[in-house]
Every structure is written in structure tokens, then in C-alpha cells.
Amino acid sequence: MTSDEIVRTFLDHYRRHGHRDAPEHPLVPPPGDPVLFTTSGMHPLTPYLLGRPHPGGRRLANAQRCLRTTDLDEVGDATHLTVFRMLGSWSLGDYDIATSLRWGFDLLTDGFGIPAGRLHATVFGGSDDGRIGPDEVARDTWTGLGVPVETLGEDNWWSNGPTGPCGPDSEIFVWTGDDPPTGTPSGDGRWVEVWNHVQMRHHRHPDGRLTPLPHSSIDTGMGLERLEMVLRGDPSVFTGDGLRPWVEAAGDRWGVRSPDLRIVADHLRAATVVLGDGVRPGNTGRGYVLRRLVRRALTVLWRDDPARGLAELPPQVLSDTLRRFGQPARPGAPDSSPLDPGAPHATLVDEERRFRGLLRRGRPLVDRVRARGPLTEHDYHWLHDTHGLPRELVDGPLARPR
Ligand code: SER
């Protein structure tokens, strides 16, 4: 299955069960939302999980682009990406967890053809303080379906942040080993998590109190790129439809190898999607996340050869990504061609030029301070506040001899 077919199969399955398509939101949440980026499919639905009626009804599904900087340091392994698409389904005070798990099982086995014997689930075993009991309904549902279950603690409690809707979750893992399945998800990394079904039953308040939500909802999320990897039996998410063009571009052009290749491919692709949603590089907030992604990719690229440059990236690689994410090249510009990668490409090249300039100016300064001895906190502050050189550059590209 191509990744487009996977999305279609997912949405068709939920349409058959009475779900409407929920709109996909940009990575940038609307004004007033304190988070920098949309980190999960449920994020735009938070008001509805808290009780407001949704205009689309009580059963929804979609594919939502997400960005997670919490996983930044894990990028380079087989399964983590900064930007990914999450396939999600929701019951807003409608059906229960047993129904959600059964429909999920049907989709994975009948819809996607994963043998039931390669599935394993985990469920919530109860809170440490004993106030919330183990999730017996989820456990019994899995047992009834013949899927082995592991009961875990706080790992199976999901929240989108310190406050807001939250609750116990049940995670579904697929066996990716060559040998027959063995062990459990917590003990064997060949069990790869693909899907999470959360029972949104509680509301965490700023003072830490937990109160029941007006209605109990279900929120599920499955990473598209990871599911694609599992369905194809690929060794990593980097051979999937959305990542392969980036891996090939960076590998063929610059001869970069993994894990560096994965970092470069992930970060430049993520930067393209962020640009496609209208963010511009800057020194704070979203703009700084974008700037860091580009700089991290360049730092890796320049380690072996500082002559490598982003102007060499084929524009088709950017346009393929923009198309997959349904993004116009210049959001808001009525005349912009939806597939024109020109603007994001030019911004990446411009950002590279600025970064080169910053390193050129910063290097003699850092060398001079270093010559006096190990850097102090005062030195870091001075380099940052007076010369715009953040610590990660001082300790990263500017720490190495030329
Ligand atoms: N909100 C849950 C997650 O992101 C399930 O959608 O994993």
C-alpha cells in the first residue's frame, strides 16, 4: 500500500462506522492557543473533548500533521520523526473503549492485513496512589480478541501537557522481528508501537486536581509513517513514500550516511512543512524551532564538507512534500501555485547564508574567549546576548577546530 492508500483505507473504515472527516489543521494553532505547534491529532479537538459539541457530530476521523520537538534527540533512530502524519479517530461522548479497540483490531487485521499473531497490547494498570483502578475493560477486550496484553503503570496514561483532558490509554504494538514473536512490548524493542487508544475521562487542572469530564471520549492516534514501515516490513520509517525522496536527495547528492542521513532528511523535510504552514525563521518561538531544524541539518552536513549547500536540493523533493501535506507554497497568496516549492526553497537557501555568516563572525570571537580558558556562564551569556551566538552553536559547530 502507498501512504495515500493507507490514509484512504483508514478513513473509509471509520466512515463505514459513521465517522465524519474532521478538518486537518495547520501545524500552527490558532491565535490564543499557547502551544507552538500541533503535536497530536487531538490537539485541535481539545475544546470538544472538554465538552463543547462538535459541528461534525460525535464520531470523527482524520489525518493530521503533527510536529514534536520532544522527540528531536531521538531522530536518527528507526521510528522517530519531527513532523509526521497522525491518523486519528474520535468518539466525543459516544461509543466506549471496547468498541474502539474492536474496530481498531478489525482495521489492522482485515483492513491492513496484519496477522493477529503479530499484535500485542498494553493497558493501564492503575495509578500509584490507588485512586484510579486498572483498565479491566480494555484488558478483557484484548483477551477476548485473542491479543496478548501487558499491564503497565504511568506509561499508559496519556495527556497532551500538564493540564487538559487526559486518561488511561491502550497501546497497540506490531512485531517487527524476523523470528516468531516473543516477549512483551516493555521488554523487546522489536515490538513497535503503532496506535494509541486513549480514554479521555479526566480533566487535569492547573492546581493538579483531576476532575471527571462531562462525557467520556475516545481519542486514538496512529503514526502514518510508522504504520507504513510496519506494513511493508521496512527496517525504518525512512524508506516510506514521504521520506524516501529526502533520503535519496541527501544520500545521492552529498553521500551522507545514516544516522546523519536520517537527521538531515527528517529536519529538512520538517522545515519544509513548517515553512509551508507560513512560519518564517526567527530567534523566538516557532521561528526559532524552524531555524534550529535547518541549523541542525546544516551542522551535520558540514561536518564532512562545508561546501555542501541547500541550493543543490532538487525542488521536486520539496514540492512532493508540500503536495503530501496539502500546502500552498506561500500561504495566503492567492496567486501562488499550490505545488510551487520556490518560496520555501529560497527561504532555506537564505537561512543557510545567514548561518554561514553567523559562524564566520562568531568563530574568531569564540576562539578568543576559549583561549582564556574553559567557558564560564558569563561567557555564554555574553556570546548570546551581545553577539547572537546561542550555547548550542558555541558548544556545537563553533567548538570544533576549523
Ligand atoms: N493523543 C494520543 C496520542 O497522541 C492518541 O491520539 O498518542
Side-chain angles (χ1 to χ4, degrees):
M1 271 193 198
T2 63
S3 77
D4 289 345
E5 283 163 353
I6 294 174
V7 175
R8 227 174 9 251
T9 303
F10 180 88
L11 293 176
D12 282 348
H13 176 77
Y14 280 98
R15 285 182 195 129
R16 275 197 299 279
H17 288 296
H19 294 62
R20 297 244 197 102
D21 292 1
E24 180 179 5
H25 287 247
L27 283 180
V28 178
D33 189 324
V35 307
L36 286 183
F37 291 104
T38 303
T39 53
S40 62
M42 63 72 74
H43 184 77
L45 293 169
T46 305
Y48 310 102
L49 291 165
L50 290 174
R52 191 195 295 173
H54 192 285
R58 302 206 303 176
R59 297 183 183 191
L60 301 170
N62 77 1
Q64 169 66 52
R65 53 182 172 274
C66 303
L67 185 149
R68 288 192 178 170
T69 48
T70 40
D71 291 340
L72 218 50
D73 290 326
E74 300 193 53
V75 169
D77 73 3
T79 55
H80 285 88
L81 292 171
T82 305
V83 165
F84 60 98
R85 295 180 77 196
M86 188 181 278
L87 302 168
S89 65
W90 294 275
S91 150
L92 299 174
D94 191 357
Y95 54 84
D96 63 359
I97 186 67
T99 306
S100 183
L101 296 178
R102 276 195 225 106
W103 285 346
F105 175 82
D106 290 347
L107 176 60
L108 291 176
T109 52
D110 295 342
F112 291 125
I114 301 176
R118 290 178 91 90
L119 297 178
H120 205 305
T122 61
V123 297
F124 182 64
S127 63
D128 293 342
D129 62 11
R131 285 200 199 164
I132 299 175
D135 187 354
E136 286 164 3
V137 176
R139 191 198 56 204
D140 293 349
T141 306
W142 286 124
T143 307
L145 290 166
V147 174
V149 198
E150 182 175 24
T151 300
L152 298 173
E154 299 294 325
D155 275 355
N156 282 66
W157 181 270
W158 202 87
S159 65
N160 196 28
T163 59
C166 54
D169 69 0
S170 179
E171 299 176 1
I172 308 174
F173 294 75
V174 178
W175 179 253
T176 59
D178 295 328
D179 317 327
T182 143
T184 63
S186 69
D188 193 320
R190 289 173 293 179
W191 288 107
V192 170
E193 185 199 342
V194 292
W195 205 353
N196 188 10
H197 291 230
V198 185
Q199 297 174 60
M200 292 293 187
R201 289 204 306 240
H202 306 272
H203 187 176
R204 174 85 63 192
H205 297 268
D207 61 6
R209 259 176 331 119
L210 215 50
T211 56
L213 284 169
H215 53 218
S216 175
S217 295
I218 305 289
D219 151 48
T220 87
M222 173 152 64
L224 171 63
E225 293 83 353
R226 219 184 262 190
L227 176 64
E228 193 183 346
M229 162 190 133
V230 163
L231 293 182
R232 294 192 184 166
D234 285 349
S236 85
V237 290
F238 290 89
T239 45
D241 290 341
L243 271 300
R244 204 182 325 109
W246 290 97
V247 167
E248 284 172 2
D252 295 350
R253 209 148 303 264
W254 297 310
V256 192
R257 299 233 171 81
S258 278
D260 286 357
L261 180 56
R262 291 176 176 177
I263 295 172
V264 170
D266 170 87
H267 286 16
L268 293 181
R269 171 178 168 271
T272 301
V273 183
V274 173
L275 283 164
D277 273 346
V279 178
R280 293 292 165 262
N283 283 333
T284 55
R286 299 183 180 108
Y288 192 56
V289 172
L290 170 59
R291 177 158 279 170
R292 278 189 66 204
L293 286 169
V294 178
R295 287 181 175 180
R296 281 170 67 108
L298 288 171
T299 302
V300 169
L301 272 182
W302 290 342
R303 224 180 265 150
D304 297 331
D305 182 0
R308 290 170 178 160
L310 300 181
E312 298 163 53
L313 273 178
Q316 308 85 278
V317 178
L318 281 84
S319 57
D320 176 73
T321 290
L322 294 167
R323 180 192 66 76
R324 285 178 189 283
F325 285 86
Q327 296 173 308
R330 282 165 288 157
D335 61 337
S336 69
S337 146
L339 297 184
D340 171 14
H345 195 270
T347 308
L348 287 181
V349 172
D350 188 55
E351 189 56 16
E352 174 190 322
R353 186 184 54 75
R354 284 167 187 267
F355 189 38
R356 278 193 200 277
L358 182 66
L359 294 183
R360 205 170 35 243
R361 287 192 306 280
R363 197 174 290 282
L365 282 169
V366 174
D367 286 352
R368 215 165 49 233
V369 182
R370 255 185 230 291
R372 297 200 301 255
L375 298 183
T376 63
E377 280 307 307
H378 176 266
D379 294 330
Y380 280 114
H381 281 300
W382 181 76
L383 288 167
H384 182 258
D385 298 345
T386 314
H387 297 285
L389 295 169
R391 186 184 284 249
E392 74 215 30
L393 287 193
V394 175
D395 289 343
L398 291 175
R400 280 185 289 277
R402 252 168 294 188

